[in-house]
Amino acid sequence: RKEVEQDPGPFNVPEGATVAFNCTYSNSASQSFFWYRQDCRKEPKLLMSVYSSGNEDGRFTAQLNRASQYISLLIRDSKLSDSATYLCVAPSLYNQGGKLIFGQGTELSVKP
Amino acid sequence: EAQVTQNPRYLITVTGKKLTVTCSQNMNHEYMSWYRQDPGLGLRQIYYSMNVEVTDKGDVPEGYKVSRKEKRNFPLILESPSPNQTSLYFCASSLSRFGSPLHFGNGTRLTVT
């Protein structure tokens, strides 16, 4: 089982839709998580940090479920510009030095 | 502007010709790391450094070297590049290794023929 798993998608949604991605992680002791956005062949950019139960920033909400060991990203009122790959990041289960593991990414395509 | 700068952005080279990809950050970050990204394999860590003169192997270190002589710079060296090192490379830095997000450079697309 991978340490961080995401549904690769693609998620094809119309403009204005609400879409949610889930990400499961293996390290039950993890305290910090991150969501990154990556446009095609460009660098990943930090979207949100999640340190407790969740975080909200405008149309984006991240939630953490420690019991089930998953984090989710909710995007409301999707825009065409939200089309990208979303990467979930969590600390490694096997490395005590705080190494971050990236999920494979979930591809989102927002259509007019 | 706070940033991680990588150079070059694009590089085409031949097998066996030594090359260096530079990485510099201006945020006084302690932690720096190199990743490669390949289709279907996601981001894989090559090497990382927790501070000056402290470096360690990541998941895919074979064929690569790094050095950290100054806090701001973390070059990636390919002593004898091979075609299987054709990839998209990212340098990243963070304030510390624990609990801090990574900030990425804009990538280097390397092709080895």
Side-chain angles (χ1 to χ4, degrees):
Chain A
R1 181 190 167 189
K2 293 179 181 175
E3 291 189 70
V4 177
E5 291 201 79
Q6 296 181 249
D7 182 341
F11 284 60
N12 296 306
V13 304
E15 263 187 300
T18 295
V19 61
F21 312 135
N22 278 346
C23 166
T24 59
Y25 62 91
S26 297
N27 187 352
S28 60
S30 297
Q31 298 294 317
S32 53
F33 307 85
F34 308 98
W35 281 103
Y36 282 77
R37 171 200 169 116
Q38 186 175 27
D39 294 285
C40 187
R41 304 300 273 173
K42 293 192 175 180
E43 75 273 24
K45 292 185 177 177
L46 180 66
L47 183 63
M48 299 185 80
S49 302
V50 187
Y51 295 111
S52 56
S53 60
N55 195 4
E56 185 172 331
D57 183 6
R59 297 184 294 109
F60 298 84
T61 300
Q63 290 188 315
L64 170 61
N65 184 317
R66 290 191 186 277
S68 301
Q69 290 184 218
Y70 75 84
I71 58 173
S72 62
L73 178 68
L74 182 77
I75 305 175
R76 290 180 295 276
D77 188 24
S78 301
K79 311 292 184 191
L80 296 176
S81 57
D82 293 335
S83 297
T85 297
Y86 291 84
L87 303 171
C88 168
V89 185
S92 172
L93 172 64
Y94 305 107
N95 186 303
Q96 300 305 309
K99 176 182 176 179
L100 296 176
I101 302 295
F102 285 78
Q104 294 275 5
T106 297
E107 184 182 345
L108 171 66
S109 179
V110 181
K111 307 291 188 185
Chain B
E1 181 190 351
Q3 59 185 2
V4 180
T5 304
Q6 281 180 243
N7 280 297
R9 291 292 307 277
Y10 303 91
L11 181 57
I12 301 174
T13 190
V14 295
T15 299
K17 187 176 181 181
K18 180 179 178 180
L19 66 92
T20 299
V21 184
T22 63
C23 174
S24 180
Q25 51 92 4
N26 62 1
M27 296 170 280
N28 201 35
H29 283 173
E30 287 188 349
Y31 181 82
M32 297 185 75
S33 182
W34 276 102
Y35 294 85
R36 61 177 289 174
Q37 188 173 34
D38 304 286
L41 297 177
L43 280 160
R44 295 182 292 168
Q45 190 179 52
I46 303 171
Y47 267 94
Y48 65 92
S49 169
M50 288 194 279
N51 215 323
V52 176
E53 302 291 4
V54 181
T55 63
D56 209 344
K57 297 176 181 179
D59 300 313
V60 288
E62 295 78 20
Y64 304 95
K65 285 175 58 177
V66 293
S67 68
R68 187 96 181 268
K69 295 185 172 59
E70 307 163 279
K71 199 170 188 178
R72 63 183 293 127
N73 295 323
F74 190 45
L76 179 69
I77 303 155
L78 284 72
E79 294 271 3
S80 182
S82 62
N84 65 12
Q85 292 178 297
T86 292
S87 187
L88 179 59
Y89 291 86
F90 291 108
C91 179
S93 72
S94 66
L95 193 58
S96 72
R97 186 160 194 190
F98 298 94
S100 300
L102 288 163
H103 300 265
F104 284 84
N106 51 17
T108 296
R109 190 170 300 183
L110 172 65
T111 302
V112 183
T113 61

